[in-house]
Amino acid sequence: MATLLINPTASIETAGGRFKGLLTAMPPIGLALLAARLRQQGREVAVYDSFIGRGGPDGAAREVRRLRPDIVGLPVVTPCATEVFAQAAAVRAACPDSVIVMGNIHADLFAEDILRKGIADIVVHGEAEDAIVDVDRAVTDKTDLALVRGISFRRGDEVVRTAPRPQIEDLDTLPFPAWDLFPMEHYGLFKFAQVATPATLISGSRGCPYRCTFCSLHVMGPRRRKRSVANLVDEIEWLHERFGMKQVAFVDPIFPISRKEGLQFAEELMRRGLHRKVQWVTETRVDLLDEEMLRSCRESGLRRVMFGIEVGDDAVLEGMNKRFVVDESRAAIALCRKVGVQTVGFFMVGVPGDSPASIEKTIELARELEPDFAKFTVFVPYPGTTDYNNLKAAGKLLGDHEQWSRYSSYPTHDNPPVFLPEGMSVDDMIRIHRRAFRRVYARPSAIWRHLVKIRTLSPLDAMRGFWALYAT
């Protein structure tokens, strides 16, 4: 066969730390889009979800021995890079003739190192839907890879990087994700994102005009490219009719980005009667809401909005280039509560410029706002971000900062953070992180809301959360 796409195994311990029991296998929408594009262009494609099967390197090896693919595609994100590389090595040993292709942000950034070490044969830069089709053709037809735009590959001792590939301008030309190739019954959403079952992910746009210092999404460009409302709602209708989906959650960092977009989207959902069949959850900025748009979205099925509130100190927010102030977070949460839309607040501790006093402000803000979910993570300077570049240049990345598992939002003593604010220790950061959750969730009002009112968390989830916060 031609191409096998693998959703690689990731360490639950690395991804979730003490909160690993609350993690859920998420639908791999990026791979589903690649598979759909290959199939749309008449190419042969199969998928293997190693994460679902917990197959690890052995599972990947078994699958490639069974299928003997010409190409094996693997996405690489930084916290899971070491495990993905181990799976690639197993693939190489099991089927030496298969060409290993890697993509996603980490592979893009470290392409030369990955290729020189022989971990992969080809790395795709940027968006991969069109590049993977051209790679498939070049490999199966044995034509020159140098003619494929937007990739790097090794030729002898030389790493060749080809001309850049233009971004996809018309996102409506992309096919809907090839979910029929995936074990959809095994997927869910993170608890804070799920309001109905079954549920899946959807993408409405690419690119972000904001330049937060900790975010690596700038690799998709500062210009936001969006799908038409009609195309987006077509997919939601298809997901409901084909797969019985009762909820979608947007992967976009911001949706809707404008009043006009929000009103048009809500109107189209209601015009088709989908507001009675499918609920939706999204993420946006605290400074982009207005009451009329939010009410219309609520009527169209919006049930929960996620906000990157980040910290409770305006000076630290300014250093992160968030371009809003704490009072705007207060206003956004209050507006959602007024309209009847649930909220999720994302908060970080240990960011550059943080101090014990500013972290206390963040925890107190989360308690004051009382979003329906408050998610605390430890700051991570991911490669590709402004923070990573600045901290690396200043010599502030700790220890072996290329031990990729350390780029985890849930560090432990065995897997410590790669950055610590001035004057703080690993013990401090782990203790502060747990204390933030306890201060917000270990209150009668929070326990009642989650077990009785929202009911997103099961009693088993509550027990797992209690263990994560209090077990020694």
PDB file of all heavy atoms in Angstrom, residues 417-428:
ATOM      1  N   PRO A 417      10.217  20.679  35.437  1.00  0.00           N
ATOM      2  CA  PRO A 417      10.048  21.690  34.379  1.00  0.00           C
ATOM      3  C   PRO A 417      11.389  22.142  33.820  1.00  0.00           C
ATOM      4  O   PRO A 417      12.427  22.057  34.484  1.00  0.00           O
ATOM      5  CB  PRO A 417       9.318  22.829  35.090  1.00  0.00           C
ATOM      6  CG  PRO A 417       9.580  22.623  36.545  1.00  0.00           C
ATOM      7  CD  PRO A 417       9.735  21.157  36.740  1.00  0.00           C
ATOM      8  N   VAL A 418      11.337  22.644  32.601  1.00  0.00           N
ATOM      9  CA  VAL A 418      12.560  23.084  31.933  1.00  0.00           C
ATOM     10  C   VAL A 418      12.863  24.549  32.236  1.00  0.00           C
ATOM     11  O   VAL A 418      13.948  25.041  31.958  1.00  0.00           O
ATOM     12  CB  VAL A 418      12.445  22.842  30.410  1.00  0.00           C
ATOM     13  CG1 VAL A 418      11.501  23.849  29.770  1.00  0.00           C
ATOM     14  CG2 VAL A 418      13.792  22.857  29.732  1.00  0.00           C
ATOM     15  N   PHE A 419      11.899  25.252  32.842  1.00  0.00           N
ATOM     16  CA  PHE A 419      12.105  26.647  33.223  1.00  0.00           C
ATOM     17  C   PHE A 419      11.485  26.898  34.584  1.00  0.00           C
ATOM     18  O   PHE A 419      10.403  26.380  34.889  1.00  0.00           O
ATOM     19  CB  PHE A 419      11.466  27.598  32.200  1.00  0.00           C
ATOM     20  CG  PHE A 419      11.386  29.017  32.691  1.00  0.00           C
ATOM     21  CD1 PHE A 419      12.513  29.832  32.681  1.00  0.00           C
ATOM     22  CD2 PHE A 419      10.193  29.539  33.194  1.00  0.00           C
ATOM     23  CE1 PHE A 419      12.451  31.136  33.148  1.00  0.00           C
ATOM     24  CE2 PHE A 419      10.126  30.843  33.666  1.00  0.00           C
ATOM     25  CZ  PHE A 419      11.256  31.643  33.643  1.00  0.00           C
ATOM     26  N   LEU A 420      12.164  27.696  35.391  1.00  0.00           N
ATOM     27  CA  LEU A 420      11.645  28.124  36.684  1.00  0.00           C
ATOM     28  C   LEU A 420      11.812  29.632  36.823  1.00  0.00           C
ATOM     29  O   LEU A 420      12.864  30.169  36.467  1.00  0.00           O
ATOM     30  CB  LEU A 420      12.397  27.433  37.830  1.00  0.00           C
ATOM     31  CG  LEU A 420      12.199  25.923  37.981  1.00  0.00           C
ATOM     32  CD1 LEU A 420      13.212  25.356  38.970  1.00  0.00           C
ATOM     33  CD2 LEU A 420      10.778  25.607  38.434  1.00  0.00           C
ATOM     34  N   PRO A 421      10.791  30.337  37.319  1.00  0.00           N
ATOM     35  CA  PRO A 421      10.958  31.770  37.562  1.00  0.00           C
ATOM     36  C   PRO A 421      12.045  32.014  38.606  1.00  0.00           C
ATOM     37  O   PRO A 421      12.388  31.124  39.406  1.00  0.00           O
ATOM     38  CB  PRO A 421       9.592  32.204  38.094  1.00  0.00           C
ATOM     39  CG  PRO A 421       8.644  31.150  37.634  1.00  0.00           C
ATOM     40  CD  PRO A 421       9.436  29.878  37.620  1.00  0.00           C
ATOM     41  N   GLU A 422      12.569  33.202  38.595  1.00  0.00           N
ATOM     42  CA  GLU A 422      13.651  33.578  39.499  1.00  0.00           C
ATOM     43  C   GLU A 422      13.276  33.293  40.958  1.00  0.00           C
ATOM     44  O   GLU A 422      12.198  33.670  41.423  1.00  0.00           O
ATOM     45  CB  GLU A 422      13.946  35.077  39.353  1.00  0.00           C
ATOM     46  CG  GLU A 422      15.257  35.524  39.965  1.00  0.00           C
ATOM     47  CD  GLU A 422      16.461  35.038  39.185  1.00  0.00           C
ATOM     48  OE1 GLU A 422      16.356  34.890  37.956  1.00  0.00           O
ATOM     49  OE2 GLU A 422      17.507  34.792  39.820  1.00  0.00           O
ATOM     50  N   GLY A 423      14.168  32.571  41.647  1.00  0.00           N
ATOM     51  CA  GLY A 423      13.982  32.312  43.069  1.00  0.00           C
ATOM     52  C   GLY A 423      13.081  31.148  43.398  1.00  0.00           C
ATOM     53  O   GLY A 423      12.827  30.881  44.575  1.00  0.00           O
ATOM     54  N   MET A 424      12.578  30.420  42.402  1.00  0.00           N
ATOM     55  CA  MET A 424      11.676  29.298  42.656  1.00  0.00           C
ATOM     56  C   MET A 424      12.371  27.978  42.341  1.00  0.00           C
ATOM     57  O   MET A 424      13.211  27.897  41.444  1.00  0.00           O
ATOM     58  CB  MET A 424      10.391  29.425  41.837  1.00  0.00           C
ATOM     59  CG  MET A 424       9.532  30.595  42.237  1.00  0.00           C
ATOM     60  SD  MET A 424       7.904  30.545  41.448  1.00  0.00           S
ATOM     61  CE  MET A 424       7.257  32.138  41.955  1.00  0.00           C
ATOM     62  N   SER A 425      11.968  26.941  43.062  1.00  0.00           N
ATOM     63  CA  SER A 425      12.528  25.600  42.881  1.00  0.00           C
ATOM     64  C   SER A 425      11.491  24.680  42.244  1.00  0.00           C
ATOM     65  O   SER A 425      10.310  25.041  42.119  1.00  0.00           O
ATOM     66  CB  SER A 425      12.950  25.031  44.232  1.00  0.00           C
ATOM     67  OG  SER A 425      11.814  24.796  45.052  1.00  0.00           O
ATOM     68  N   VAL A 426      11.941  23.492  41.888  1.00  0.00           N
ATOM     69  CA  VAL A 426      11.022  22.488  41.370  1.00  0.00           C
ATOM     70  C   VAL A 426       9.949  22.165  42.409  1.00  0.00           C
ATOM     71  O   VAL A 426       8.757  22.082  42.092  1.00  0.00           O
ATOM     72  CB  VAL A 426      11.776  21.212  40.950  1.00  0.00           C
ATOM     73  CG1 VAL A 426      10.794  20.095  40.571  1.00  0.00           C
ATOM     74  CG2 VAL A 426      12.711  21.504  39.784  1.00  0.00           C
ATOM     75  N   ASP A 427      10.374  21.985  43.650  1.00  0.00           N
ATOM     76  CA  ASP A 427       9.412  21.725  44.724  1.00  0.00           C
ATOM     77  C   ASP A 427       8.376  22.845  44.820  1.00  0.00           C
ATOM     78  O   ASP A 427       7.173  22.583  44.978  1.00  0.00           O
ATOM     79  CB  ASP A 427      10.132  21.596  46.063  1.00  0.00           C
ATOM     80  CG  ASP A 427      10.820  20.259  46.227  1.00  0.00           C
ATOM     81  OD1 ASP A 427      10.521  19.342  45.441  1.00  0.00           O
ATOM     82  OD2 ASP A 427      11.658  20.136  47.137  1.00  0.00           O
ATOM     83  N   ASP A 428       8.843  24.091  44.713  1.00  0.00           N
ATOM     84  CA  ASP A 428       7.923  25.225  44.781  1.00  0.00           C
ATOM     85  C   ASP A 428       6.871  25.139  43.684  1.00  0.00           C
ATOM     86  O   ASP A 428       5.671  25.317  43.938  1.00  0.00           O
ATOM     87  CB  ASP A 428       8.681  26.546  44.620  1.00  0.00           C
ATOM     88  CG  ASP A 428       9.573  26.871  45.806  1.00  0.00           C
ATOM     89  OD1 ASP A 428       9.280  26.392  46.914  1.00  0.00           O
ATOM     90  OD2 ASP A 428      10.565  27.607  45.606  1.00  0.00           O
TER      91      ASP A 428
END
